[in-house]
PDB file of all heavy atoms in Angstrom:
ATOM      1  N   GLY A   1     -16.737   8.661  17.446  1.00 95.00           N
ATOM      2  CA  GLY A   1     -15.780   9.632  17.942  1.00 95.00           C
ATOM      3  C   GLY A   1     -14.357   9.175  17.946  1.00 95.00           C
ATOM      4  O   GLY A   1     -13.436   9.975  18.189  1.00 95.00           O
ATOM      5  N   ASP A   2     -14.100   7.887  17.688  1.00 95.00           N
ATOM      6  CA  ASP A   2     -12.704   7.377  17.657  1.00 95.00           C
ATOM      7  C   ASP A   2     -12.011   8.003  16.454  1.00 95.00           C
ATOM      8  O   ASP A   2     -12.584   8.300  15.398  1.00 95.00           O
ATOM      9  CB  ASP A   2     -12.706   5.886  17.532  1.00 95.00           C
ATOM     10  CG  ASP A   2     -13.018   5.142  18.795  1.00 95.00           C
ATOM     11  OD1 ASP A   2     -13.028   5.825  19.840  1.00 95.00           O
ATOM     12  OD2 ASP A   2     -13.322   3.936  18.750  1.00 95.00           O
ATOM     13  N   LYS A   3     -10.702   8.136  16.632  1.00 96.00           N
ATOM     14  CA  LYS A   3      -9.810   8.573  15.539  1.00 96.00           C
ATOM     15  C   LYS A   3      -8.746   7.516  15.310  1.00 96.00           C
ATOM     16  O   LYS A   3      -8.363   6.771  16.222  1.00 96.00           O
ATOM     17  CB  LYS A   3      -9.170   9.919  15.884  1.00 96.00           C
ATOM     18  CG  LYS A   3     -10.177  11.065  16.015  1.00 96.00           C
ATOM     19  CD  LYS A   3      -9.561  12.305  16.492  1.00 96.00           C
ATOM     20  CE  LYS A   3      -9.258  12.248  18.010  1.00 96.00           C
ATOM     21  NZ  LYS A   3     -10.478  12.212  18.839  1.00 96.00           N
ATOM     22  N   PHE A   4      -8.190   7.436  14.080  1.00 97.00           N
ATOM     23  CA  PHE A   4      -7.177   6.431  13.814  1.00 97.00           C
ATOM     24  C   PHE A   4      -6.201   6.899  12.737  1.00 97.00           C
ATOM     25  O   PHE A   4      -6.505   7.751  11.930  1.00 97.00           O
ATOM     26  CB  PHE A   4      -7.815   5.088  13.374  1.00 97.00           C
ATOM     27  CG  PHE A   4      -8.546   5.131  12.078  1.00 97.00           C
ATOM     28  CD1 PHE A   4      -7.913   4.927  10.886  1.00 97.00           C
ATOM     29  CD2 PHE A   4      -9.928   5.306  12.067  1.00 97.00           C
ATOM     30  CE1 PHE A   4      -8.613   4.952   9.703  1.00 97.00           C
ATOM     31  CE2 PHE A   4     -10.669   5.316  10.869  1.00 97.00           C
ATOM     32  CZ  PHE A   4      -9.971   5.112   9.705  1.00 97.00           C
ATOM     33  N   VAL A   5      -4.983   6.383  12.832  1.00 96.00           N
ATOM     34  CA  VAL A   5      -4.005   6.516  11.796  1.00 96.00           C
ATOM     35  C   VAL A   5      -3.633   5.153  11.324  1.00 96.00           C
ATOM     36  O   VAL A   5      -3.626   4.197  12.128  1.00 96.00           O
ATOM     37  CB  VAL A   5      -2.734   7.298  12.268  1.00 96.00           C
ATOM     38  CG1 VAL A   5      -3.091   8.747  12.585  1.00 96.00           C
ATOM     39  CG2 VAL A   5      -2.143   6.628  13.496  1.00 96.00           C
ATOM     40  N   GLU A   6      -3.376   5.046  10.048  1.00 94.00           N
ATOM     41  CA  GLU A   6      -3.143   3.713   9.457  1.00 94.00           C
ATOM     42  C   GLU A   6      -2.034   3.830   8.416  1.00 94.00           C
ATOM     43  O   GLU A   6      -1.930   4.854   7.742  1.00 94.00           O
ATOM     44  CB  GLU A   6      -4.463   3.271   8.842  1.00 94.00           C
ATOM     45  CG  GLU A   6      -4.463   1.866   8.272  1.00 94.00           C
ATOM     46  CD  GLU A   6      -5.854   1.549   7.698  1.00 94.00           C
ATOM     47  OE1 GLU A   6      -6.238   2.129   6.637  1.00 94.00           O
ATOM     48  OE2 GLU A   6      -6.589   0.782   8.344  1.00 94.00           O
ATOM     49  N   GLY A   7      -1.282   2.805   8.281  1.00 90.00           N
ATOM     50  CA  GLY A   7      -0.245   2.777   7.259  1.00 90.00           C
ATOM     51  C   GLY A   7      -0.189   1.424   6.606  1.00 90.00           C
ATOM     52  O   GLY A   7      -0.170   0.420   7.251  1.00 90.00           O
ATOM     53  N   SER A   8      -0.197   1.424   5.270  1.00 82.00           N
ATOM     54  CA  SER A   8      -0.059   0.137   4.539  1.00 82.00           C
ATOM     55  C   SER A   8       1.015   0.276   3.504  1.00 82.00           C
ATOM     56  O   SER A   8       1.285   1.349   2.969  1.00 82.00           O
ATOM     57  CB  SER A   8      -1.399  -0.221   3.880  1.00 82.00           C
ATOM     58  OG  SER A   8      -1.792   0.810   2.943  1.00 82.00           O
ATOM     59  N   PHE A   9       1.662  -0.857   3.225  1.00 79.00           N
ATOM     60  CA  PHE A   9       2.812  -0.889   2.287  1.00 79.00           C
ATOM     61  C   PHE A   9       2.655  -2.078   1.370  1.00 79.00           C
ATOM     62  O   PHE A   9       2.186  -3.135   1.758  1.00 79.00           O
ATOM     63  CB  PHE A   9       4.113  -0.997   3.054  1.00 79.00           C
ATOM     64  CG  PHE A   9       5.348  -1.033   2.152  1.00 79.00           C
ATOM     65  CD1 PHE A   9       5.847   0.086   1.614  1.00 79.00           C
ATOM     66  CD2 PHE A   9       5.965  -2.278   1.898  1.00 79.00           C
ATOM     67  CE1 PHE A   9       6.943   0.058   0.766  1.00 79.00           C
ATOM     68  CE2 PHE A   9       7.049  -2.357   1.103  1.00 79.00           C
ATOM     69  CZ  PHE A   9       7.574  -1.174   0.529  1.00 79.00           C
ATOM     70  N   ARG A  10       3.050  -1.836   0.136  1.00 79.00           N
ATOM     71  CA  ARG A  10       2.944  -2.938  -0.872  1.00 79.00           C
ATOM     72  C   ARG A  10       4.185  -2.878  -1.745  1.00 79.00           C
ATOM     73  O   ARG A  10       4.630  -1.781  -2.181  1.00 79.00           O
ATOM     74  CB  ARG A  10       1.689  -2.776  -1.722  1.00 79.00           C
ATOM     75  CG  ARG A  10       1.577  -3.775  -2.868  1.00 79.00           C
ATOM     76  CD  ARG A  10       0.318  -3.591  -3.658  1.00 79.00           C
ATOM     77  NE  ARG A  10       0.321  -4.308  -4.875  1.00 79.00           N
ATOM     78  CZ  ARG A  10      -0.561  -4.175  -5.834  1.00 79.00           C
ATOM     79  NH1 ARG A  10      -1.541  -3.299  -5.686  1.00 79.00           N
ATOM     80  NH2 ARG A  10      -0.478  -4.876  -6.927  1.00 79.00           N
ATOM     81  N   TYR A  11       4.748  -4.028  -2.055  1.00 78.00           N
ATOM     82  CA  TYR A  11       5.889  -4.124  -2.982  1.00 78.00           C
ATOM     83  C   TYR A  11       5.742  -5.347  -3.882  1.00 78.00           C
ATOM     84  O   TYR A  11       5.282  -6.412  -3.428  1.00 78.00           O
ATOM     85  CB  TYR A  11       7.216  -4.249  -2.211  1.00 78.00           C
ATOM     86  CG  TYR A  11       8.401  -4.507  -3.074  1.00 78.00           C
ATOM     87  CD1 TYR A  11       9.027  -3.426  -3.696  1.00 78.00           C
ATOM     88  CD2 TYR A  11       8.887  -5.778  -3.272  1.00 78.00           C
ATOM     89  CE1 TYR A  11      10.105  -3.613  -4.546  1.00 78.00           C
ATOM     90  CE2 TYR A  11       9.999  -6.000  -4.099  1.00 78.00           C
ATOM     91  CZ  TYR A  11      10.612  -4.908  -4.736  1.00 78.00           C
ATOM     92  OH  TYR A  11      11.692  -5.106  -5.518  1.00 78.00           O
ATOM     93  N   SER A  12       6.044  -5.185  -5.145  1.00 78.00           N
ATOM     94  CA  SER A  12       6.021  -6.321  -6.087  1.00 78.00           C
ATOM     95  C   SER A  12       7.221  -6.254  -7.003  1.00 78.00           C
ATOM     96  O   SER A  12       7.686  -5.149  -7.341  1.00 78.00           O
ATOM     97  CB  SER A  12       4.706  -6.328  -6.867  1.00 78.00           C
ATOM     98  OG  SER A  12       4.635  -5.199  -7.749  1.00 78.00           O
ATOM     99  N   SER A  13       7.670  -7.391  -7.405  1.00 78.00           N
ATOM    100  CA  SER A  13       8.805  -7.474  -8.307  1.00 78.00           C
ATOM    101  C   SER A  13       8.538  -8.620  -9.315  1.00 78.00           C
ATOM    102  O   SER A  13       8.118  -9.703  -8.931  1.00 78.00           O
ATOM    103  CB  SER A  13      10.071  -7.722  -7.532  1.00 78.00           C
ATOM    104  OG  SER A  13      11.202  -7.858  -8.398  1.00 78.00           O
ATOM    105  N   GLN A  14       8.810  -8.319 -10.601  1.00 75.00           N
ATOM    106  CA  GLN A  14       8.613  -9.338 -11.615  1.00 75.00           C
ATOM    107  C   GLN A  14       9.884  -9.413 -12.469  1.00 75.00           C
ATOM    108  O   GLN A  14      10.376  -8.393 -12.937  1.00 75.00           O
ATOM    109  CB  GLN A  14       7.445  -9.018 -12.515  1.00 75.00           C
ATOM    110  CG  GLN A  14       6.106  -9.042 -11.803  1.00 75.00           C
ATOM    111  CD  GLN A  14       4.955  -8.731 -12.742  1.00 75.00           C
ATOM    112  OE1 GLN A  14       5.138  -8.346 -13.896  1.00 75.00           O
ATOM    113  NE2 GLN A  14       3.736  -8.903 -12.239  1.00 75.00           N
ATOM    114  N   ASN A  15      10.421 -10.600 -12.588  1.00 73.00           N
ATOM    115  CA  ASN A  15      11.672 -10.826 -13.370  1.00 73.00           C
ATOM    116  C   ASN A  15      11.367 -11.741 -14.550  1.00 73.00           C
ATOM    117  O   ASN A  15      10.761 -12.810 -14.354  1.00 73.00           O
ATOM    118  CB  ASN A  15      12.787 -11.422 -12.486  1.00 73.00           C
ATOM    119  CG  ASN A  15      13.201 -10.555 -11.376  1.00 73.00           C
ATOM    120  OD1 ASN A  15      13.401  -9.339 -11.542  1.00 73.00           O
ATOM    121  ND2 ASN A  15      13.297 -11.126 -10.158  1.00 73.00           N
ATOM    122  N   GLY A  16      11.725 -11.309 -15.750  1.00 60.00           N
ATOM    123  CA  GLY A  16      11.458 -12.092 -16.920  1.00 60.00           C
ATOM    124  C   GLY A  16      12.362 -13.316 -16.971  1.00 60.00           C
ATOM    125  O   GLY A  16      13.582 -13.224 -16.782  1.00 60.00           O
ATOM    126  N   ASP A  17      11.792 -14.524 -17.138  1.00 55.00           N
ATOM    127  CA  ASP A  17      12.549 -15.731 -17.193  1.00 55.00           C
ATOM    128  C   ASP A  17      13.343 -15.821 -18.504  1.00 55.00           C
ATOM    129  O   ASP A  17      14.466 -16.276 -18.516  1.00 55.00           O
ATOM    130  CB  ASP A  17      11.629 -16.955 -17.097  1.00 55.00           C
ATOM    131  CG  ASP A  17      10.928 -17.025 -15.752  1.00 55.00           C
ATOM    132  OD1 ASP A  17      11.538 -16.514 -14.765  1.00 55.00           O
ATOM    133  OD2 ASP A  17       9.819 -17.553 -15.685  1.00 55.00           O
ATOM    134  N   SER A  18      12.728 -15.404 -19.602  1.00 52.00           N
ATOM    135  CA  SER A  18      13.392 -15.536 -20.888  1.00 52.00           C
ATOM    136  C   SER A  18      14.004 -14.227 -21.427  1.00 52.00           C
ATOM    137  O   SER A  18      14.863 -14.246 -22.305  1.00 52.00           O
ATOM    138  CB  SER A  18      12.377 -16.086 -21.964  1.00 52.00           C
ATOM    139  OG  SER A  18      11.281 -15.207 -22.050  1.00 52.00           O
ATOM    140  N   SER A  19      13.524 -13.087 -20.880  1.00 55.00           N
ATOM    141  CA  SER A  19      13.984 -11.816 -21.361  1.00 55.00           C
ATOM    142  C   SER A  19      14.329 -10.904 -20.186  1.00 55.00           C
ATOM    143  O   SER A  19      13.464 -10.597 -19.362  1.00 55.00           O
ATOM    144  CB  SER A  19      12.944 -11.148 -22.238  1.00 55.00           C
ATOM    145  OG  SER A  19      13.315  -9.832 -22.599  1.00 55.00           O
ATOM    146  N   PRO A  20      15.599 -10.426 -20.079  1.00 53.00           N
ATOM    147  CA  PRO A  20      15.960  -9.542 -18.978  1.00 53.00           C
ATOM    148  C   PRO A  20      15.209  -8.220 -19.038  1.00 53.00           C
ATOM    149  O   PRO A  20      15.075  -7.558 -18.033  1.00 53.00           O
ATOM    150  CB  PRO A  20      17.476  -9.305 -19.205  1.00 53.00           C
ATOM    151  CG  PRO A  20      17.912 -10.357 -20.159  1.00 53.00           C
ATOM    152  CD  PRO A  20      16.739 -10.760 -20.932  1.00 53.00           C
ATOM    153  N   THR A  21      14.724  -7.827 -20.227  1.00 54.00           N
ATOM    154  CA  THR A  21      14.026  -6.532 -20.375  1.00 54.00           C
ATOM    155  C   THR A  21      12.640  -6.592 -19.804  1.00 54.00           C
ATOM    156  O   THR A  21      11.931  -5.584 -19.812  1.00 54.00           O
ATOM    157  CB  THR A  21      13.946  -6.124 -21.831  1.00 54.00           C
ATOM    158  OG1 THR A  21      13.270  -7.123 -22.558  1.00 54.00           O
ATOM    159  CG2 THR A  21      15.371  -5.999 -22.433  1.00 54.00           C
ATOM    160  N   ALA A  22      12.190  -7.734 -19.342  1.00 63.00           N
ATOM    161  CA  ALA A  22      10.841  -7.856 -18.748  1.00 63.00           C
ATOM    162  C   ALA A  22      10.779  -7.537 -17.286  1.00 63.00           C
ATOM    163  O   ALA A  22       9.796  -7.753 -16.644  1.00 63.00           O
ATOM    164  CB  ALA A  22      10.279  -9.244 -19.037  1.00 63.00           C
ATOM    165  N   GLU A  23      11.931  -7.108 -16.665  1.00 71.00           N
ATOM    166  CA  GLU A  23      11.974  -6.855 -15.252  1.00 71.00           C
ATOM    167  C   GLU A  23      11.210  -5.601 -14.896  1.00 71.00           C
ATOM    168  O   GLU A  23      11.203  -4.586 -15.612  1.00 71.00           O
ATOM    169  CB  GLU A  23      13.420  -6.703 -14.840  1.00 71.00           C
ATOM    170  CG  GLU A  23      14.226  -7.990 -14.892  1.00 71.00           C
ATOM    171  CD  GLU A  23      15.623  -7.795 -14.334  1.00 71.00           C
ATOM    172  OE1 GLU A  23      15.918  -6.670 -13.849  1.00 71.00           O
ATOM    173  OE2 GLU A  23      16.417  -8.756 -14.359  1.00 71.00           O
ATOM    174  N   SER A  24      10.504  -5.636 -13.799  1.00 79.00           N
ATOM    175  CA  SER A  24       9.783  -4.445 -13.286  1.00 79.00           C
ATOM    176  C   SER A  24       9.673  -4.555 -11.761  1.00 79.00           C
ATOM    177  O   SER A  24       9.623  -5.630 -11.193  1.00 79.00           O
ATOM    178  CB  SER A  24       8.383  -4.371 -13.891  1.00 79.00           C
ATOM    179  OG  SER A  24       7.592  -5.423 -13.498  1.00 79.00           O
ATOM    180  N   HIS A  25       9.626  -3.404 -11.125  1.00 82.00           N
ATOM    181  CA  HIS A  25       9.517  -3.293  -9.689  1.00 82.00           C
ATOM    182  C   HIS A  25       8.554  -2.159  -9.377  1.00 82.00           C
ATOM    183  O   HIS A  25       8.600  -1.117 -10.015  1.00 82.00           O
ATOM    184  CB  HIS A  25      10.913  -3.022  -9.025  1.00 82.00           C
ATOM    185  CG  HIS A  25      11.980  -3.975  -9.433  1.00 82.00           C
ATOM    186  ND1 HIS A  25      12.158  -5.211  -8.860  1.00 82.00           N
ATOM    187  CD2 HIS A  25      12.920  -3.883 -10.442  1.00 82.00           C
ATOM    188  CE1 HIS A  25      13.173  -5.800  -9.441  1.00 82.00           C
ATOM    189  NE2 HIS A  25      13.666  -5.029 -10.354  1.00 82.00           N
ATOM    190  N   SER A  26       7.743  -2.355  -8.337  1.00 85.00           N
ATOM    191  CA  SER A  26       6.822  -1.310  -7.955  1.00 85.00           C
ATOM    192  C   SER A  26       6.612  -1.354  -6.410  1.00 85.00           C
ATOM    193  O   SER A  26       6.732  -2.402  -5.797  1.00 85.00           O
ATOM    194  CB  SER A  26       5.494  -1.428  -8.662  1.00 85.00           C
ATOM    195  OG  SER A  26       4.816  -2.669  -8.296  1.00 85.00           O
ATOM    196  N   TRP A  27       6.283  -0.169  -5.866  1.00 86.00           N
ATOM    197  CA  TRP A  27       6.032  -0.107  -4.408  1.00 86.00           C
ATOM    198  C   TRP A  27       5.010   1.018  -4.193  1.00 86.00           C
ATOM    199  O   TRP A  27       4.815   1.918  -5.017  1.00 86.00           O
ATOM    200  CB  TRP A  27       7.301   0.163  -3.651  1.00 86.00           C
ATOM    201  CG  TRP A  27       7.920   1.502  -3.979  1.00 86.00           C
ATOM    202  CD1 TRP A  27       8.813   1.738  -4.953  1.00 86.00           C
ATOM    203  CD2 TRP A  27       7.652   2.800  -3.332  1.00 86.00           C
ATOM    204  NE1 TRP A  27       9.128   3.093  -5.012  1.00 86.00           N
ATOM    205  CE2 TRP A  27       8.472   3.738  -3.992  1.00 86.00           C
ATOM    206  CE3 TRP A  27       6.849   3.148  -2.258  1.00 86.00           C
ATOM    207  CZ2 TRP A  27       8.473   5.092  -3.606  1.00 86.00           C
ATOM    208  CZ3 TRP A  27       6.832   4.506  -1.878  1.00 86.00           C
ATOM    209  CH2 TRP A  27       7.652   5.415  -2.540  1.00 86.00           C
ATOM    210  N   SER A  28       4.314   0.941  -3.059  1.00 87.00           N
ATOM    211  CA  SER A  28       3.374   1.982  -2.667  1.00 87.00           C
ATOM    212  C   SER A  28       3.262   2.039  -1.155  1.00 87.00           C
ATOM    213  O   SER A  28       3.381   1.027  -0.469  1.00 87.00           O
ATOM    214  CB  SER A  28       1.975   1.739  -3.265  1.00 87.00           C
ATOM    215  OG  SER A  28       1.396   0.551  -2.753  1.00 87.00           O
ATOM    216  N   PHE A  29       3.075   3.229  -0.641  1.00 88.00           N
ATOM    217  CA  PHE A  29       2.908   3.500   0.796  1.00 88.00           C
ATOM    218  C   PHE A  29       1.785   4.481   0.974  1.00 88.00           C
ATOM    219  O   PHE A  29       1.725   5.516   0.294  1.00 88.00           O
ATOM    220  CB  PHE A  29       4.200   4.033   1.375  1.00 88.00           C
ATOM    221  CG  PHE A  29       4.080   4.437   2.840  1.00 88.00           C
ATOM    222  CD1 PHE A  29       3.649   3.484   3.796  1.00 88.00           C
ATOM    223  CD2 PHE A  29       4.347   5.722   3.232  1.00 88.00           C
ATOM    224  CE1 PHE A  29       3.522   3.853   5.124  1.00 88.00           C
ATOM    225  CE2 PHE A  29       4.218   6.094   4.566  1.00 88.00           C
ATOM    226  CZ  PHE A  29       3.823   5.163   5.536  1.00 88.00           C
ATOM    227  N   ASN A  30       0.772   4.131   1.888  1.00 87.00           N
ATOM    228  CA  ASN A  30      -0.413   4.927   2.002  1.00 87.00           C
ATOM    229  C   ASN A  30      -0.683   5.288   3.457  1.00 87.00           C
ATOM    230  O   ASN A  30      -1.461   4.587   4.129  1.00 87.00           O
ATOM    231  CB  ASN A  30      -1.609   4.207   1.414  1.00 87.00           C
ATOM    232  CG  ASN A  30      -1.399   3.770  -0.054  1.00 87.00           C
ATOM    233  OD1 ASN A  30      -1.189   2.598  -0.317  1.00 87.00           O
ATOM    234  ND2 ASN A  30      -1.411   4.721  -0.937  1.00 87.00           N
ATOM    235  N   PRO A  31      -0.085   6.338   4.007  1.00 93.00           N
ATOM    236  CA  PRO A  31      -0.443   6.786   5.370  1.00 93.00           C
ATOM    237  C   PRO A  31      -1.864   7.374   5.346  1.00 93.00           C
ATOM    238  O   PRO A  31      -2.226   8.143   4.463  1.00 93.00           O
ATOM    239  CB  PRO A  31       0.585   7.843   5.675  1.00 93.00           C
ATOM    240  CG  PRO A  31       1.090   8.309   4.361  1.00 93.00           C
ATOM    241  CD  PRO A  31       1.010   7.154   3.426  1.00 93.00           C
ATOM    242  N   THR A  32      -2.669   6.993   6.340  1.00 94.00           N
ATOM    243  CA  THR A  32      -4.072   7.300   6.369  1.00 94.00           C
ATOM    244  C   THR A  32      -4.498   7.850   7.749  1.00 94.00           C
ATOM    245  O   THR A  32      -4.023   7.414   8.767  1.00 94.00           O
ATOM    246  CB  THR A  32      -4.900   6.056   6.027  1.00 94.00           C
ATOM    247  OG1 THR A  32      -4.517   5.566   4.743  1.00 94.00           O
ATOM    248  CG2 THR A  32      -6.391   6.345   6.039  1.00 94.00           C
ATOM    249  N   VAL A  33      -5.431   8.854   7.753  1.00 96.00           N
ATOM    250  CA  VAL A  33      -6.065   9.316   8.989  1.00 96.00           C
ATOM    251  C   VAL A  33      -7.548   9.189   8.806  1.00 96.00           C
ATOM    252  O   VAL A  33      -8.109   9.394   7.717  1.00 96.00           O
ATOM    253  CB  VAL A  33      -5.657  10.763   9.328  1.00 96.00           C
ATOM    254  CG1 VAL A  33      -4.180  10.845   9.649  1.00 96.00           C
ATOM    255  CG2 VAL A  33      -6.004  11.715   8.167  1.00 96.00           C
ATOM    256  N   GLY A  34      -8.293   8.883   9.875  1.00 97.00           N
ATOM    257  CA  GLY A  34      -9.717   8.684   9.782  1.00 97.00           C
ATOM    258  C   GLY A  34     -10.401   9.059  11.090  1.00 97.00           C
ATOM    259  O   GLY A  34      -9.787   9.155  12.154  1.00 97.00           O
ATOM    260  N   TYR A  35     -11.732   9.293  10.953  1.00 97.00           N
ATOM    261  CA  TYR A  35     -12.564   9.669  12.102  1.00 97.00           C
ATOM    262  C   TYR A  35     -13.880   8.897  12.035  1.00 97.00           C
ATOM    263  O   TYR A  35     -14.505   8.832  10.963  1.00 97.00           O
ATOM    264  CB  TYR A  35     -12.824  11.202  12.115  1.00 97.00           C
ATOM    265  CG  TYR A  35     -13.724  11.649  13.207  1.00 97.00           C
ATOM    266  CD1 TYR A  35     -13.253  11.812  14.499  1.00 97.00           C
ATOM    267  CD2 TYR A  35     -15.085  11.959  12.939  1.00 97.00           C
ATOM    268  CE1 TYR A  35     -14.124  12.236  15.518  1.00 97.00           C
ATOM    269  CE2 TYR A  35     -15.936  12.378  13.942  1.00 97.00           C
ATOM    270  CZ  TYR A  35     -15.429  12.516  15.253  1.00 97.00           C
ATOM    271  OH  TYR A  35     -16.264  12.957  16.231  1.00 97.00           O
ATOM    272  N   LEU A  36     -14.327   8.315  13.139  1.00 96.00           N
ATOM    273  CA  LEU A  36     -15.554   7.559  13.219  1.00 96.00           C
ATOM    274  C   LEU A  36     -16.736   8.503  13.498  1.00 96.00           C
ATOM    275  O   LEU A  36     -16.894   9.018  14.585  1.00 96.00           O
ATOM    276  CB  LEU A  36     -15.481   6.484  14.318  1.00 96.00           C
ATOM    277  CG  LEU A  36     -14.890   5.125  13.938  1.00 96.00           C
ATOM    278  CD1 LEU A  36     -15.802   4.417  12.952  1.00 96.00           C
ATOM    279  CD2 LEU A  36     -13.503   5.231  13.413  1.00 96.00           C
ATOM    280  N   LEU A  37     -17.594   8.680  12.508  1.00 97.00           N
ATOM    281  CA  LEU A  37     -18.838   9.450  12.636  1.00 97.00           C
ATOM    282  C   LEU A  37     -19.817   8.715  13.538  1.00 97.00           C
ATOM    283  O   LEU A  37     -20.533   9.300  14.302  1.00 97.00           O
ATOM    284  CB  LEU A  37     -19.461   9.758  11.301  1.00 97.00           C
ATOM    285  CG  LEU A  37     -18.585  10.546  10.313  1.00 97.00           C
ATOM    286  CD1 LEU A  37     -19.317  10.673   8.965  1.00 97.00           C
ATOM    287  CD2 LEU A  37     -18.288  11.935  10.858  1.00 97.00           C
ATOM    288  N   THR A  38     -19.868   7.346  13.331  1.00 95.00           N
ATOM    289  CA  THR A  38     -20.648   6.481  14.161  1.00 95.00           C
ATOM    290  C   THR A  38     -19.767   5.238  14.394  1.00 95.00           C
ATOM    291  O   THR A  38     -18.605   5.243  14.003  1.00 95.00           O
ATOM    292  CB  THR A  38     -21.962   6.031  13.503  1.00 95.00           C
ATOM    293  OG1 THR A  38     -21.658   5.195  12.392  1.00 95.00           O
ATOM    294  CG2 THR A  38     -22.729   7.242  13.013  1.00 95.00           C
ATOM    295  N   ASP A  39     -20.303   4.214  15.042  1.00 91.00           N
ATOM    296  CA  ASP A  39     -19.486   2.993  15.191  1.00 91.00           C
ATOM    297  C   ASP A  39     -19.414   2.190  13.906  1.00 91.00           C
ATOM    298  O   ASP A  39     -18.715   1.182  13.871  1.00 91.00           O
ATOM    299  CB  ASP A  39     -20.011   2.173  16.328  1.00 91.00           C
ATOM    300  CG  ASP A  39     -21.426   1.668  16.107  1.00 91.00           C
ATOM    301  OD1 ASP A  39     -22.129   2.182  15.178  1.00 91.00           O
ATOM    302  OD2 ASP A  39     -21.925   0.778  16.853  1.00 91.00           O
ATOM    303  N   LYS A  40     -20.118   2.651  12.832  1.00 94.00           N
ATOM    304  CA  LYS A  40     -20.112   1.941  11.573  1.00 94.00           C
ATOM    305  C   LYS A  40     -19.446   2.781  10.463  1.00 94.00           C
ATOM    306  O   LYS A  40     -18.838   2.212   9.548  1.00 94.00           O
ATOM    307  CB  LYS A  40     -21.537   1.593  11.134  1.00 94.00           C
ATOM    308  CG  LYS A  40     -22.289   0.633  12.045  1.00 94.00           C
ATOM    309  CD  LYS A  40     -21.714  -0.739  11.942  1.00 94.00           C
ATOM    310  CE  LYS A  40     -22.543  -1.758  12.743  1.00 94.00           C
ATOM    311  NZ  LYS A  40     -21.992  -3.133  12.643  1.00 94.00           N
TER     312      LYS A  40
END
C-alpha cells in the first residue's frame, strides 16, 4: 500500500582528444511514481 515518487538524473560528456568534432553531450531525467501491491 505504500506509494512513492522518485527522480533520477544522468549526464555524460565526451570530448575528442584528437578531433574537436568528436564532442558529444547527453542528459536524461526520469520522474517516477509507483505503488506497492505487496511488500515485494
Side-chain angles (χ1 to χ4, degrees):
D2 285 347
K3 296 173 285 292
F4 65 86
V5 291
E6 186 179 72
S8 59
F9 179 79
R10 175 181 168 189
Y11 175 81
S12 66
S13 177
Q14 296 181 351
N15 298 314
D17 295 331
S18 58
S19 174
T21 61
E23 293 185 1
S24 65
H25 309 277
S26 64
W27 63 273
S28 64
F29 174 59
N30 306 105
T32 301
V33 294
Y35 177 78
L36 271 294
L37 300 175
T38 70
D39 61 348
K40 296 290 186 181

